[in-house]
Amino acid sequence: MTCNRFPVAHPRLQSGRENSNRARGLLILTILGVVLFSAGSAEVLASPLIYAFDAGGGFFVPLDSGNRSAYGTGAEFSFGFSPMLSTSGTWLMFEVGYMKSAGHEYWNDPTFEMPEDKYWLVPIRLGVRRDVLAESTSFPIKFCLGAGFQTILTGWKDGYGTSYKSPTFGLLLEIRPELTLSGPWGLWLSNRMTFLGDVTYEDSDIPEINYSANSLQIGLSYTVHR
């Protein structure tokens, strides 16, 4: 017995062009904020030179209801480098990550089990992070607020091996408490909101996908003083 695949489009709630326009507007505001915030903080460069490496992992939940119902939550990993810009606790943030999830873009006949569709994201992020407790406490605790912009390389593959790629861009907002451990090590927890433009894969019948998400990560940092 053979089975032909007759996909019916997944009932996405249309995010429309509004999400894309909103992301572009927020991106412009964030870029201006990053530039102004960095310029205002860089008049007193950290001396000696201080920078940190960090790595972490966790999960993300898509903000778009169509993406969330089709693919659910996904896994996320990140690696970052952050030089200190000023003694007031301002850090430049550069980060590369990897995100992935799997599900079914289409509803199928439940009689037959269909292979999963998958997507992956490689975000490249640049921003600033500021420790709002840097000048008010002597405890080994940081409470950082961050903002930045990002370019994301995206890929989507159906269960039969056909794949598509397309980039998108947007911004991020972050809350990140960090506890200083022994020596240069720190333990951090990051809650991050990412706002991205819709992705359209050319030459495919895939609807527009919006990869904006709320993510939660835990990780370690290693700070170097020179």
PDB file of all heavy atoms in Angstrom, residues 29-39 92 126-128 147-149:
ATOM      1  N   LEU A  29      15.801  51.859  16.844  1.00  0.00           N
ATOM      2  CA  LEU A  29      15.905  52.478  18.163  1.00  0.00           C
ATOM      3  C   LEU A  29      17.014  51.840  18.994  1.00  0.00           C
ATOM      4  O   LEU A  29      17.746  52.523  19.711  1.00  0.00           O
ATOM      5  CB  LEU A  29      14.570  52.351  18.901  1.00  0.00           C
ATOM      6  CG  LEU A  29      13.410  53.170  18.337  1.00  0.00           C
ATOM      7  CD1 LEU A  29      12.133  52.873  19.111  1.00  0.00           C
ATOM      8  CD2 LEU A  29      13.727  54.661  18.384  1.00  0.00           C
ATOM      9  N   THR A  30      17.155  50.512  18.887  1.00  0.00           N
ATOM     10  CA  THR A  30      18.175  49.820  19.664  1.00  0.00           C
ATOM     11  C   THR A  30      19.576  50.178  19.188  1.00  0.00           C
ATOM     12  O   THR A  30      20.485  50.380  19.992  1.00  0.00           O
ATOM     13  CB  THR A  30      17.972  48.299  19.588  1.00  0.00           C
ATOM     14  OG1 THR A  30      16.676  47.990  20.084  1.00  0.00           O
ATOM     15  CG2 THR A  30      19.001  47.570  20.430  1.00  0.00           C
ATOM     16  N   ILE A  31      19.772  50.247  17.863  1.00  0.00           N
ATOM     17  CA  ILE A  31      21.077  50.632  17.331  1.00  0.00           C
ATOM     18  C   ILE A  31      21.476  52.017  17.846  1.00  0.00           C
ATOM     19  O   ILE A  31      22.600  52.238  18.300  1.00  0.00           O
ATOM     20  CB  ILE A  31      21.070  50.607  15.794  1.00  0.00           C
ATOM     21  CG1 ILE A  31      20.926  49.167  15.287  1.00  0.00           C
ATOM     22  CG2 ILE A  31      22.357  51.229  15.233  1.00  0.00           C
ATOM     23  CD1 ILE A  31      20.759  49.056  13.782  1.00  0.00           C
ATOM     24  N   LEU A  32      20.520  52.965  17.798  1.00  0.00           N
ATOM     25  CA  LEU A  32      20.808  54.305  18.307  1.00  0.00           C
ATOM     26  C   LEU A  32      21.113  54.258  19.803  1.00  0.00           C
ATOM     27  O   LEU A  32      22.036  54.932  20.281  1.00  0.00           O
ATOM     28  CB  LEU A  32      19.608  55.216  18.041  1.00  0.00           C
ATOM     29  CG  LEU A  32      19.338  55.568  16.569  1.00  0.00           C
ATOM     30  CD1 LEU A  32      18.046  56.370  16.459  1.00  0.00           C
ATOM     31  CD2 LEU A  32      20.500  56.344  15.974  1.00  0.00           C
ATOM     32  N   GLY A  33      20.344  53.457  20.532  1.00  0.00           N
ATOM     33  CA  GLY A  33      20.590  53.344  21.964  1.00  0.00           C
ATOM     34  C   GLY A  33      21.948  52.753  22.283  1.00  0.00           C
ATOM     35  O   GLY A  33      22.645  53.210  23.192  1.00  0.00           O
ATOM     36  N   VAL A  34      22.338  51.706  21.532  1.00  0.00           N
ATOM     37  CA  VAL A  34      23.645  51.087  21.747  1.00  0.00           C
ATOM     38  C   VAL A  34      24.766  52.084  21.495  1.00  0.00           C
ATOM     39  O   VAL A  34      25.714  52.204  22.273  1.00  0.00           O
ATOM     40  CB  VAL A  34      23.814  49.846  20.844  1.00  0.00           C
ATOM     41  CG1 VAL A  34      25.260  49.368  20.846  1.00  0.00           C
ATOM     42  CG2 VAL A  34      22.902  48.724  21.310  1.00  0.00           C
ATOM     43  N   VAL A  35      24.662  52.827  20.392  1.00  0.00           N
ATOM     44  CA  VAL A  35      25.700  53.794  20.045  1.00  0.00           C
ATOM     45  C   VAL A  35      25.806  54.884  21.107  1.00  0.00           C
ATOM     46  O   VAL A  35      26.891  55.211  21.592  1.00  0.00           O
ATOM     47  CB  VAL A  35      25.414  54.412  18.664  1.00  0.00           C
ATOM     48  CG1 VAL A  35      26.377  55.567  18.387  1.00  0.00           C
ATOM     49  CG2 VAL A  35      25.538  53.357  17.571  1.00  0.00           C
ATOM     50  N   LEU A  36      24.673  55.463  21.503  1.00  0.00           N
ATOM     51  CA  LEU A  36      24.678  56.545  22.476  1.00  0.00           C
ATOM     52  C   LEU A  36      25.118  56.055  23.851  1.00  0.00           C
ATOM     53  O   LEU A  36      25.882  56.712  24.553  1.00  0.00           O
ATOM     54  CB  LEU A  36      23.287  57.171  22.562  1.00  0.00           C
ATOM     55  CG  LEU A  36      22.810  57.909  21.302  1.00  0.00           C
ATOM     56  CD1 LEU A  36      21.367  58.368  21.483  1.00  0.00           C
ATOM     57  CD2 LEU A  36      23.711  59.091  20.994  1.00  0.00           C
ATOM     58  N   PHE A  37      24.637  54.871  24.230  1.00  0.00           N
ATOM     59  CA  PHE A  37      24.973  54.322  25.538  1.00  0.00           C
ATOM     60  C   PHE A  37      26.464  54.012  25.625  1.00  0.00           C
ATOM     61  O   PHE A  37      27.116  54.297  26.615  1.00  0.00           O
ATOM     62  CB  PHE A  37      24.155  53.052  25.784  1.00  0.00           C
ATOM     63  CG  PHE A  37      24.187  52.576  27.209  1.00  0.00           C
ATOM     64  CD1 PHE A  37      23.683  53.368  28.225  1.00  0.00           C
ATOM     65  CD2 PHE A  37      24.702  51.329  27.509  1.00  0.00           C
ATOM     66  CE1 PHE A  37      23.701  52.913  29.528  1.00  0.00           C
ATOM     67  CE2 PHE A  37      24.723  50.882  28.812  1.00  0.00           C
ATOM     68  CZ  PHE A  37      24.221  51.665  29.830  1.00  0.00           C
ATOM     69  N   SER A  38      27.025  53.440  24.545  1.00  0.00           N
ATOM     70  CA  SER A  38      28.450  53.114  24.521  1.00  0.00           C
ATOM     71  C   SER A  38      29.290  54.388  24.544  1.00  0.00           C
ATOM     72  O   SER A  38      30.288  54.476  25.255  1.00  0.00           O
ATOM     73  CB  SER A  38      28.787  52.295  23.278  1.00  0.00           C
ATOM     74  OG  SER A  38      28.081  51.083  23.268  1.00  0.00           O
ATOM     75  N   ALA A  39      28.870  55.392  23.764  1.00  0.00           N
ATOM     76  CA  ALA A  39      29.625  56.638  23.719  1.00  0.00           C
ATOM     77  C   ALA A  39      29.622  57.325  25.074  1.00  0.00           C
ATOM     78  O   ALA A  39      30.629  57.892  25.507  1.00  0.00           O
ATOM     79  CB  ALA A  39      29.029  57.562  22.657  1.00  0.00           C
ATOM     80  N   LEU A  92      30.700  45.633  26.528  1.00  0.00           N
ATOM     81  CA  LEU A  92      30.328  45.378  25.144  1.00  0.00           C
ATOM     82  C   LEU A  92      30.062  43.886  24.996  1.00  0.00           C
ATOM     83  O   LEU A  92      30.833  43.065  25.504  1.00  0.00           O
ATOM     84  CB  LEU A  92      31.441  45.814  24.196  1.00  0.00           C
ATOM     85  CG  LEU A  92      31.194  45.581  22.702  1.00  0.00           C
ATOM     86  CD1 LEU A  92      30.061  46.473  22.217  1.00  0.00           C
ATOM     87  CD2 LEU A  92      32.468  45.857  21.907  1.00  0.00           C
ATOM     88  N   LEU A 126      25.366  41.677  18.765  1.00  0.00           N
ATOM     89  CA  LEU A 126      26.244  42.751  19.237  1.00  0.00           C
ATOM     90  C   LEU A 126      25.401  43.711  20.058  1.00  0.00           C
ATOM     91  O   LEU A 126      24.329  44.143  19.618  1.00  0.00           O
ATOM     92  CB  LEU A 126      26.889  43.483  18.060  1.00  0.00           C
ATOM     93  CG  LEU A 126      27.807  44.660  18.416  1.00  0.00           C
ATOM     94  CD1 LEU A 126      29.050  44.159  19.156  1.00  0.00           C
ATOM     95  CD2 LEU A 126      28.217  45.410  17.155  1.00  0.00           C
ATOM     96  N   GLY A 127      25.885  44.052  21.247  1.00  0.00           N
ATOM     97  CA  GLY A 127      25.113  44.960  22.087  1.00  0.00           C
ATOM     98  C   GLY A 127      25.909  45.431  23.283  1.00  0.00           C
ATOM     99  O   GLY A 127      27.136  45.289  23.344  1.00  0.00           O
ATOM    100  N   VAL A 128      25.215  45.993  24.254  1.00  0.00           N
ATOM    101  CA  VAL A 128      25.832  46.431  25.499  1.00  0.00           C
ATOM    102  C   VAL A 128      25.068  45.828  26.668  1.00  0.00           C
ATOM    103  O   VAL A 128      23.863  45.555  26.578  1.00  0.00           O
ATOM    104  CB  VAL A 128      25.864  47.965  25.624  1.00  0.00           C
ATOM    105  CG1 VAL A 128      26.840  48.566  24.637  1.00  0.00           C
ATOM    106  CG2 VAL A 128      24.478  48.569  25.456  1.00  0.00           C
ATOM    107  N   ALA A 147      20.923  45.210  25.913  1.00  0.00           N
ATOM    108  CA  ALA A 147      20.172  45.445  24.685  1.00  0.00           C
ATOM    109  C   ALA A 147      21.146  45.356  23.523  1.00  0.00           C
ATOM    110  O   ALA A 147      22.335  45.658  23.663  1.00  0.00           O
ATOM    111  CB  ALA A 147      19.484  46.811  24.704  1.00  0.00           C
ATOM    112  N   GLY A 148      20.661  44.929  22.381  1.00  0.00           N
ATOM    113  CA  GLY A 148      21.543  44.814  21.232  1.00  0.00           C
ATOM    114  C   GLY A 148      20.772  44.475  19.971  1.00  0.00           C
ATOM    115  O   GLY A 148      19.546  44.361  19.978  1.00  0.00           O
ATOM    116  N   PHE A 149      21.518  44.328  18.897  1.00  0.00           N
ATOM    117  CA  PHE A 149      20.901  43.925  17.641  1.00  0.00           C
ATOM    118  C   PHE A 149      21.583  42.671  17.128  1.00  0.00           C
ATOM    119  O   PHE A 149      22.674  42.299  17.573  1.00  0.00           O
ATOM    120  CB  PHE A 149      20.931  45.056  16.609  1.00  0.00           C
ATOM    121  CG  PHE A 149      22.300  45.583  16.288  1.00  0.00           C
ATOM    122  CD1 PHE A 149      23.016  45.091  15.218  1.00  0.00           C
ATOM    123  CD2 PHE A 149      22.869  46.591  17.055  1.00  0.00           C
ATOM    124  CE1 PHE A 149      24.274  45.578  14.913  1.00  0.00           C
ATOM    125  CE2 PHE A 149      24.133  47.096  16.757  1.00  0.00           C
ATOM    126  CZ  PHE A 149      24.835  46.590  15.686  1.00  0.00           C
TER     127      PHE A 149
END
